[in-house]
Structure formats: C-alpha cells, structure tokens
Amino acid sequence: MNLETIKQLLSQGESDRVEMKLSTGQRTAATRTVCAMLNHLGGYIFFGVDDQGNPVGQEVSDSTLRDLSNEFQKIEPPVFPDIKTVPLENGKTIIAVIVQGGGGPYTYDGRPYIRNGSSTFVMPKGEYEKKLLEKMHATSRWENQVASQLSLEDLDHNEIIRTVDEAIRRQRLEDPGIRSPIELLRGLGLLGENDQILNAAAALFIRSDACLPAFPQFQIRLARFKGLDKSEFIDNRKENGNAFALLMLAQRFFRDHLPVAGRIEPGLFERVDDPLYPPHALREALANALCHRDYSEPGGSVSVAIFDDRLEISSPGGLPFGLSPEQLKEPHDSRPWNPLIANAFYRRG
C-alpha cells in the first residue's frame, strides 16, 4: 500500500468497500465499518482523510496504533486486519486498514454490522441467524442430526435396497455384496454414532405411515387450478412420504393433469406423443426441489401448482451461501444445502 494506490482509491469516494476518517479519534465508528466489511466483501478504512477525500494525515505514535488494535480486539471471532502507515510530505501519516471479507459472521462489541453503500448498519437478526447457520452448515445442519424418534423399522427397506441396486447399475457405487439395510445405510453415510439414524436417512427412506407426527414436513402439495390463479381447484392433494415416494407421486399427478398431444408420422406405425412440458425437465425440477429444500421447518413442504398457462414447483428455504438468482444462471460452485440427500439422489440417478 503506497500513497499512489491510496489516492486512486480515495478518488472513487466512499462506498461499500472504502471508508474515510479524519483521525483515529473516530475509531469506534470505523471499527463498526471494519466489522461490516468483514461480513461482506472486505475493503479499506483510511484515517487522515478529510471530507473531500484529501489525504491530510494525522499524528501517529505507538499509542495511536495500539489504541486502534485494542479497538479491533472487540471484534468476534478474533480478526487481525492489516494496518499500514504511509507518511506524507507534511510530516503527518495516513493509516490504511486493509480488511479481508468473508467468513464470519462477525460482531463488534456484541453486535453484527453490514455495509450498504457508504453507510454501516446493525445487521438484522434474521440475516445474522442465517449467516450463523451457513457457518455451522458443515457440522450442524439439519440432515446430519440424529432422528432420535425413529428406528430402522420406520424406514422402507425396499427403497434402501432399490437405491443401492440402481446406484450399482449406474456404476455410481461399488456392490457391497450384502443387502442388509443397516449396512447399506452405513455405506451411504446416513448413520451417526452407534448406528443412529440421521435425519437425511429419514427424509430419503421413511415409510409414509411413519412420517407423522415427527416429520410433517415430509410432504408434497399437488394442485391443479382452474384458470390462471388459485381461486378455484380442479384437484388438490397432500401426500406424505419419503423423497423418492414424493417424486413418484408428483410424476403421477403430472400424468393425470398435463395434456399429451399425439401425431402420426409418415412411415411410422406408432403414434408420436408430445407432452406439454419435457418430462426430463419436470423430473429434474422436482428432484432439485426435494434435494435442496430447507427441511428444518416442520410446516414446510414442496408444492406443485398447475395452471392453464403455467406450471410452478416451489420448495421452502431461501438461496444459501450468498447466491442470487442471477448467479444460478451462470457457472457457479455447487454447494448443496443437503449434501447427504443430494448424494443419494445422484447415486440413484
């Protein structure tokens, strides 16, 4: 960091990544912004800059830098921003604090902060809780918690065996040589310590008659509406079961309510059917809804709605890990919310 680089950054004005302070006497407000930048994309804090963005500098001693570092120690979890000093011709000094964003969420003096343009605000409680969930996702997500209310007998053993057989057929799993449900679940990584059944195993293989009352969220809502809104039903169903069973029930509902146009091609003895929506696209959308939904909400369910002019598939939960709808249409890292469930769907094809 040199004066040339500092002037270039200052010339762009304050933003979500640049903050200017006249002196370290404003270190409390500046540290709130450091916290906000840590929770976002990082950035730069400059001390010794006037309101017009001119680098005027300030007197800097060992105690100045020590006071600044002490203020930064109120950030949790602990972080150590890079502090640079750049001397000016007038004998004073610019202090540049370089903040690396990501990770967290971070708090300052017990509160989390976010950056919006050139302003710093207290982070809303819901956003903070979401960031905490994402941070703990690797070890403490819903699907890898123990389903203490279930036993092996509550699972559909045939569904477990079908999944493994199909994975072997598709060469996505080595044949274990046995078909013991407990051994197969262990091989799929769906058991916890002492062979306790995980929530992921419940979502994938629970028997439909065992869903209630413990797992009301293992449900799909299927509706065919008359017209273009939800004012009148033609058909309305609620089905409970494991994810594979719900996938099949939804596909049957499509067959019941989606038109298929038929035509005769010259030279062919068979009629050619043209479904209104491509079956592969519908199956992919359903599978994604069941794999990547938020299962932690007991009242949540995947829903399918067919209207005269469109078909909608929705699932509970927002986009995790800072993803936006626009990013989904571009190349992006695959970070499934329920990797154990998604892996079982992948192996089964």
Side-chain angles (χ1 to χ4, degrees):
M1 180 67 66
N2 54 40
L3 186 57
E4 178 98 21
T5 302
I6 290 174
K7 287 181 177 179
Q8 186 176 3
L9 289 167
L10 293 177
S11 67
Q12 300 170 19
E14 287 194 331
S15 66
D16 60 336
R17 300 200 66 201
V18 175
E19 176 91 340
M20 307 172 191
K21 296 296 182 188
L22 186 60
S23 75
T24 51
Q26 299 170 287
R27 59 184 176 274
T28 298
T31 309
R32 293 192 194 104
T33 299
V34 170
C35 177
M37 289 178 174
L38 286 166
N39 286 325
H40 189 46
L41 301 174
Y44 305 89
I45 313 285
F46 296 107
F47 295 98
V49 179
D50 65 18
D51 291 340
Q52 286 72 46
N54 300 310
V56 296
Q58 71 164 86
E59 299 293 339
V60 175
S61 64
D62 289 345
S63 63
T64 304
L65 298 177
R66 187 165 55 249
D67 290 344
L68 193 58
S69 295
N70 288 340
E71 201 67 37
F72 291 162
Q73 288 177 21
K74 297 179 184 178
I75 295 176
E76 292 288 342
V79 66
F80 304 96
D82 196 6
I83 302 174
K84 304 288 188 184
T85 56
V86 180
L88 300 178
E89 291 181 356
N90 63 7
K92 296 184 178 181
T93 301
I94 293 281
I95 299 176
V97 180
I98 304 169
V99 183
Q100 301 294 332
Y106 293 89
T107 63
Y108 165 62
D109 217 12
R111 290 185 174 185
Y113 291 89
I114 55 171
R115 192 83 169 148
N116 186 357
S118 60
S119 300
T120 298
F121 301 94
V122 175
M123 184 183 295
K125 180 181 177 182
E127 184 175 345
Y128 178 65
E129 290 175 346
K130 180 182 177 183
K131 284 182 175 291
L132 273 180
L133 276 175
E134 292 178 358
K135 179 182 179 181
M136 298 167 62
H137 183 255
T139 56
S140 300
R141 61 186 184 274
W142 177 89
E143 69 163 1
N144 65 4
Q145 302 302 301
V146 172
S148 57
Q149 57 273 69
L150 292 187
S151 70
L152 186 63
E153 297 310 311
D154 293 314
L155 304 185
D156 186 332
H157 296 185
N158 291 329
E159 199 73 77
I160 298 171
I161 294 170
R162 250 194 311 274
T163 297
V164 170
D165 286 344
E166 186 62 22
I168 294 167
R169 188 183 74 81
R170 293 174 179 272
Q171 298 183 350
R172 293 177 178 178
L173 192 69
E174 293 292 329
D175 193 336
I178 54 174
R179 292 299 181 267
S180 163
I182 195 75
E183 294 295 337
L184 297 181
L185 289 173
R186 188 181 295 120
L188 290 169
L190 298 174
L191 297 179
E193 292 183 7
N194 302 317
D195 285 342
Q196 292 176 297
I197 295 168
L198 298 183
N199 282 336
L204 290 162
F205 302 121
I206 196 169
R207 297 196 330 267
S208 58
D209 60 350
C211 291
L212 300 175
F215 294 104
Q217 68 267 49
F218 295 170
Q219 183 183 84
I220 193 165
R221 299 169 185 261
L222 307 164
R224 173 62 170 103
F225 295 98
K226 183 177 181 180
L228 309 183
D229 57 34
K230 296 183 177 182
S231 59
E232 186 177 349
F233 287 105
I234 295 175
D235 192 358
N236 185 25
R237 309 176 194 177
K238 293 180 183 179
E239 305 282 2
N240 290 83
N242 64 60
F244 294 120
L246 297 181
L247 180 65
M248 295 304 298
L249 287 166
Q251 289 179 300
R252 289 174 193 161
F253 189 76
F254 289 149
R255 287 197 292 270
D256 290 343
H257 290 287
L258 293 180
V260 177
R263 69 181 191 277
I264 303 298
E265 290 283 353
L268 294 178
F269 290 99
E270 296 178 352
R271 186 184 67 176
V272 177
D273 290 332
D274 289 324
L276 183 61
Y277 300 102
H280 291 299
L282 292 178
R283 188 171 60 204
E284 179 75 5
L286 280 168
N288 275 283
L290 291 163
C291 282
H292 306 308
R293 58 163 290 192
D294 182 356
Y295 279 97
S296 65
E297 289 292 333
S301 66
V302 171
S303 65
V304 172
I306 301 174
F307 302 86
D308 286 357
D309 66 338
R310 68 193 186 281
L311 185 153
E312 297 177 358
I313 299 171
S314 59
S315 61
L319 290 174
F321 309 118
L323 277 171
S324 67
E326 292 72 27
Q327 288 172 308
L328 293 178
K329 301 173 185 178
E330 303 170 353
H332 60 278
D333 292 337
S334 176
R335 296 184 65 186
W337 190 245
N338 303 302
L340 293 175
I341 294 172
N343 182 56
F345 263 71
Y346 165 74
R347 290 181 184 276
R348 183 151 164 171

